[in-house]
């Protein structure tokens, strides 16, 4: 019997006056709209959820963090080629900022806080995914910049691919994009705050730098990068053309002196550094990262 004949027989059955056909048609008429409503509501709800963007060099542990936050356990990962978006639940023991002043007996506290986590490729040729998301941040509540704390070093002999220089250059591009988003805003108040968390991953490894040293090392490297780029622009003559002001914008404003993360607060970009590890012999340690997410929900 052909598939066409089977389909014809099915429609004949549903339109027949028999009791089984009537019961089947009634159930179908009730359940189909409910299923369609549930599907469309879930899709629409996911689109309106607050989002956090995962960025950072390849191998830093972004995708492993994504799977940990989504499933509760990290999974074997490979280098991402395209963005990955998942829906996550805030742990019940983590209090969201929107719930801090609610009574512990408030029924709304029992509602699980959901958010979307977007993992972006860390390869240099694929970072446009992250930069485009920063320029047009739909429902974006914050950016998590993941670095491998075990590969950061000021000793050039110890630098490996994905080390301090690469991490700082990528971070420079992200922060400068956020700064330009603020300075190019036509609103007198500027765009809404865009917090950045520098997640120092793999602190369980012996060679990992402490979170505080990760922050100071990145600040020192960012100072070198902005000095070098500013000098390059001046040497090329771009600094003589006022029409190129946006292109010669310096991270943190004035290009003199050492760069500090606090400089970005002027552009509504507060930066925090927190350490942890997605995997390890004693399990994951990501409480500080969860707390940061909760503070921005």
């Amino acid at each position: 019997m052909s598939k066409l004949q089977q389909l014809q027989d099915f429609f004949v059955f549903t339109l027949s006056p028999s009791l089984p056909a009537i019961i089947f048609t009634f159930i179908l008429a009730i359940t189909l709209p409910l299923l369609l409503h549930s599907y469309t509501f879930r899709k629409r709800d996911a689109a309106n959820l607050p989002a956090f963007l995962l960025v950072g060099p390849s191998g830093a542990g972004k995708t492993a963090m994504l799977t940990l936050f989504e499933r509760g356990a990290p999974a074997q990962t490979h280098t991402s080629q395209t963005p990955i978006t998942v829906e996550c639940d805030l742990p019940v023991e983590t209090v969201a900022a929107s719930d801090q002043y609610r009574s512990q007996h408030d029924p709304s506290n029992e509602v699980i806080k959901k958010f979307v986590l977007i993992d972006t490729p860390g390869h240099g040729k694929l970072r446009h995914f992250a930069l485009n998301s920063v320029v047009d941040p739909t429902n974006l509540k914050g950016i998590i910049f993941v670095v491998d704390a075990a590969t950061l070093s000021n000793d050039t002999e110890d630098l490996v691919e994905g080390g301090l220089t690469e991490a700082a250059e990528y971070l420079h591009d992200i922060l400068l994009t956020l700064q330009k988003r603020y300075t190019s805003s036509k609103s007198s108040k500027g765009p809404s705050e865009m917090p950045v968390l520098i997640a120092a991953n793999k602190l369980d490894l012996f060679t990992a730098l402490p979170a505080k040293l990760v922050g100071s090392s990145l600040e020192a490297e960012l100072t070198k990068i902005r000095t070098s780029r500013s000098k390059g622009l001046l040497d090329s003559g771009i600094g003589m053309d006022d029409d190129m002001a946006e292109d010669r914008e310096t991270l943190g404003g004035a290009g003199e002196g050492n760069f500090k993360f606090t400089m970005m607060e002027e552009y509504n970009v507060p930066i925090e550094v927190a350490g942890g590890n997605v995997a390890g012999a004693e399990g994951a340690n990501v409480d500080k990262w969860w707390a940061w997410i909760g503070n921005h929900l």
Side-chain angles (χ1 to χ4, degrees), residues 256-272:
E256 298 180 358
N258 295 329
F259 173 80
K260 297 295 180 182
F261 288 137
T262 52
M263 292 179 176
M264 297 304 297
E265 294 175 4
E266 179 181 346
Y267 307 99
N268 272 359
V269 183
I271 301 174
E272 182 178 337

Side-chain angles (χ1 to χ4, degrees), residues 2 14 27 64 80 101 139 183 205 221 231 264 270:
S2 66
T14 57
I27 294 175
S80 301
Y101 301 104
N139 294 333
T183 56
L205 300 180
E221 193 67 20
K231 184 177 184 300
M264 297 304 297

